[in-house]
């Protein structure tokens, strides 16, 4: 029984250490989530504005641009997986990888070849461990992304999209990330980034909106050449910011649950240790009484 007490005390001590770590991670995530949400909200107006601008140019001109036209010279597609750099966030990265695997299966069923790009060490380690080659990878501090990393990712993906088929060019670009809905709900989402799907100017059924007239200087082609790369960078940066807010929210929730579970374990181990201690005391009393009886009988 004395051995059991030592085991329970060691487990209580180790669980208390884990509880402190879980609590610290929860507080860190809680302190950063506000800033992450503010950054996401601040980036949204620019992303919406540049999306409207690109849609306006593509809708009101007959210009054929590589970023708005379907490619038929290759069946290779690019998929960017936005996961986390660290764990302790529950099923955050696992849900992203599951959604990516479903997308890959669907694309391969359509006869397309998938080139994977990984953002975040969790995605990189997952595919590297399974021997699946990544066309590009970035470890960027997933809970606090910056525009420089978004620019690097956008340049790599744009380069692949504009490259000839013989040099590994892709016909489509898909992004899998986690959409931040609120502190409780974060959803894995798949977005086809390229070729651009234009929705500007499409009126609801039964309505006939009068569309404005546009005149583009110096030319629609030059405007698209300038706008579309900026559009891709802003959309990727917006996805990284939403993923960061989702990661922090998932980590705060997971660490809060882990802290509660640690407290339950400590209570259970304390109860078991007390039971073992009471059993030791009872056994010692029984041995004393038995010894006293034996001395009295002699």
């Amino acid at each position: 029984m004395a051995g059991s007490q030592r085991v329970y005390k060691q487990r209580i001590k180790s669980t208390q250490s884990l509880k402190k770590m879980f609590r610290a991670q929860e507080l860190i995530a809680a302190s950063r989530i506000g800033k992450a949400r503010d950054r996401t909200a601040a980036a949204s107006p620019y992303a919406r504005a540049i999306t409207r601008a690109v849609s306006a140019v593509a809708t009101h001109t007959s210009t054929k641009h590589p970023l708005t036209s379907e490619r038929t010279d290759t069946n290779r597609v690019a998929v960017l997986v936005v996961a986390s750099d660290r764990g302790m966030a529950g099923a955050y990265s696992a849900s992203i990888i599951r959604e990516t695997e479903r997308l890959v299966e669907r694309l391969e069923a359509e006869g397309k070849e998938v080139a994977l790009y990984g953002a975040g060490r969790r995605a990189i380690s997952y595919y590297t461990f399974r021997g699946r080659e990544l066309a590009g990878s970035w470890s960027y501090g997933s809970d606090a992304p910056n525009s420089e990393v978004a620019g690097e990712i956008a340049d790599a993906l744009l380069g692949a999209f504009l490259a000839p088929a013989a040099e590994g060019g892709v016909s489509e670009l898909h992004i899998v990330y986690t959409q931040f809905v609120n502190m409780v709900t974060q959803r894995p989402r798949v977005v086809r980034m390229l070729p651009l799907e234009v929705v500007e100017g499409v009126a609801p059924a039964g309505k006939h909106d009068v569309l404005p007239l546009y005149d583009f200087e110096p030319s629609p082609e030059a405007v698209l050449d300038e706008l579309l790369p900026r559009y891709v960078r802003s959309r990727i940066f917006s996805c990284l910011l939403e993923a960061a807010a989702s990661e922090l929210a998932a980590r705060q929730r997971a660490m809060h649950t882990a802290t509660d579970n640690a407290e339950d374990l400590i209570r259970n181990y304390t109860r078991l240790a007390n039971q073992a201690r009471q059993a030791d005391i009872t056994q010692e009393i029984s041995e004393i009484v038995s010894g006293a009886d034996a001395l009295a009988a002699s």
Side-chain angles (χ1 to χ4, degrees):
M1 288 297 181
S4 298
Q5 286 190 62
R6 285 194 298 269
V7 170
Y8 290 134
K9 288 180 180 179
Q10 290 172 357
R11 291 181 179 178
I12 290 171
K13 185 176 181 180
S14 62
T15 306
Q16 286 174 339
S17 300
L18 289 174
K19 175 187 170 183
K20 292 178 181 178
M21 182 179 63
F22 295 151
R23 180 61 176 166
Q25 292 292 332
E26 178 187 357
L27 293 176
I28 291 171
S31 66
R32 293 178 179 176
I33 185 65
K35 183 178 180 180
R37 294 175 64 183
D38 291 342
R39 293 183 69 195
T40 302
S44 296
Y46 177 78
R48 287 194 299 268
I50 198 168
T51 300
R52 285 196 300 268
V54 171
S55 297
V57 179
T59 301
H60 301 290
T61 65
S62 58
T63 300
K64 294 294 183 181
H65 194 276
L67 300 184
T68 60
S69 304
E70 298 281 350
R71 290 185 63 171
T72 58
D73 58 337
T74 179
N75 65 344
R76 185 178 171 88
V77 299
V79 175
L80 173 65
V81 188
V82 181
S84 64
D85 275 342
R86 299 189 297 115
M88 305 182 77
Y92 172 79
S93 293
S95 61
I96 284 293
I97 291 173
R98 282 196 301 269
E99 190 68 28
T100 303
E101 291 300 312
R102 284 194 287 265
L103 173 63
V104 170
E105 290 178 3
R106 177 172 62 82
L107 293 173
E108 290 179 344
E110 296 173 359
K112 298 177 180 178
E113 178 187 356
V114 177
L116 288 169
Y117 292 78
R121 282 196 293 268
R122 288 289 170 172
I124 297 171
S125 61
Y126 176 85
Y127 291 108
T128 302
F129 179 77
R130 284 157 181 79
R132 299 171 66 177
E133 183 180 357
L134 291 174
S137 60
W138 297 269
S139 297
Y140 60 97
S142 58
D143 57 353
N146 54 59
S147 58
E148 287 78 10
V149 173
E152 292 178 10
I153 298 174
D155 291 343
L157 296 175
L158 277 173
F161 188 80
L162 297 175
E167 298 178 8
V170 299
S171 60
E172 296 177 9
L173 167 60
H174 299 264
I175 298 179
V176 187
Y177 72 103
T178 306
Q179 180 185 20
F180 181 85
V181 180
N182 51 49
M183 289 296 296
V184 178
T185 305
Q186 300 88 40
R187 300 193 187 101
R189 187 183 180 194
V190 179
V191 175
R192 196 189 85 167
M193 188 74 66
L194 293 175
L196 180 66
E197 296 177 323
V198 180
V199 296
E200 180 89 3
V202 178
K207 295 184 178 180
H208 303 281
D209 293 338
V210 178
L211 301 176
L213 299 177
Y214 290 90
D215 188 17
F216 303 102
E217 293 291 343
S219 67
E221 294 84 356
V223 173
L224 282 175
D225 286 340
E226 289 294 327
L227 280 181
L228 284 173
R230 297 174 185 270
Y231 161 78
V232 174
R233 291 188 183 94
S234 69
R235 287 295 302 273
I236 290 177
F237 188 41
S238 179
C239 290
L240 294 182
L241 290 176
E242 278 207 62
S246 301
E247 177 186 345
L248 290 170
R251 179 168 292 117
Q252 181 186 9
R253 189 170 61 254
M255 292 299 97
H256 179 76
T257 302
T259 302
D260 292 343
N261 292 338
E263 291 176 350
D264 291 339
L265 281 175
I266 291 171
R267 282 194 294 268
N268 291 335
Y269 288 145
T270 302
R271 177 176 53 80
L272 293 172
N274 290 336
Q275 289 177 354
R277 180 172 176 273
Q278 291 172 1
D280 286 345
I281 294 172
T282 302
Q283 182 178 357
E284 291 175 0
I285 292 174
S286 298
E287 291 174 354
I288 292 172
V289 171
S290 299
D293 290 342
L295 290 173
S298 62

